[in-house]
Amino acid sequence: MSDDEEYVYDEVTGEWMPASELAARQAEEDKVEVRDAVGNLLSDGDQVTLIKDLEVKGAGQTLKQGTLIKSIRLTGDPQEIDCKYPGIKGLVLRAEFVKKR
């Protein structure tokens, strides 16, 4: 910490603290934990496998159990993950139907 750092009042703790420390604390609180069907923590870029057959609405296609989905992205919703799959644009899966590989 430098002497010229700006201090801000944290209403939660009732203390004055460096702005960078408060920003880091708030960023940590805003993180959403996304867990797969068996409780594994998911993160951006993970590979997942489907645990059951899923009918994809609007695509007229069914993704079979065991299908590998590469490079997922978290959406900020604890139950949804954004995925890419050949032939399906904008695929969003519920975390309860996948297992981390």
Side-chain angles (χ1 to χ4, degrees):
M1 277 189 295
S2 64
D3 293 336
D4 61 345
E5 187 167 6
E6 184 179 336
Y7 279 75
V8 292
Y9 185 73
D10 180 18
E11 294 181 16
V12 175
T13 63
E15 300 175 354
W16 288 92
M17 63 177 44
S20 60
E21 188 178 317
L22 180 61
R25 182 179 293 169
Q26 288 175 338
E28 186 66 31
E29 290 173 359
D30 290 342
K31 281 188 179 175
V32 175
E33 282 191 353
V34 180
R35 297 195 177 267
D36 68 2
V38 292
N40 296 320
L41 191 60
L42 297 174
S43 59
D44 286 337
D46 281 347
Q47 293 184 358
V48 295
T49 305
L50 297 181
I51 62 167
K52 68 180 262 181
D53 291 354
L54 297 175
E55 193 174 312
V56 181
K57 294 179 182 175
Q61 196 173 359
T62 300
L63 296 177
K64 300 290 183 189
Q65 178 178 347
T67 301
L68 176 65
I69 305 290
K70 297 180 181 179
S71 190
I72 65 168
R73 287 190 318 262
L74 304 181
T75 62
D77 183 320
Q79 281 300 312
E80 293 183 348
I81 54 174
D82 191 26
C83 313
K84 286 186 179 179
Y85 190 78
I88 303 174
K89 290 189 178 202
L91 179 62
V92 177
L93 295 174
R94 293 196 46 90
E96 64 190 278
F97 298 127
V98 299
K99 184 172 77 171
K100 187 174 181 177
R101 183 143 192 211

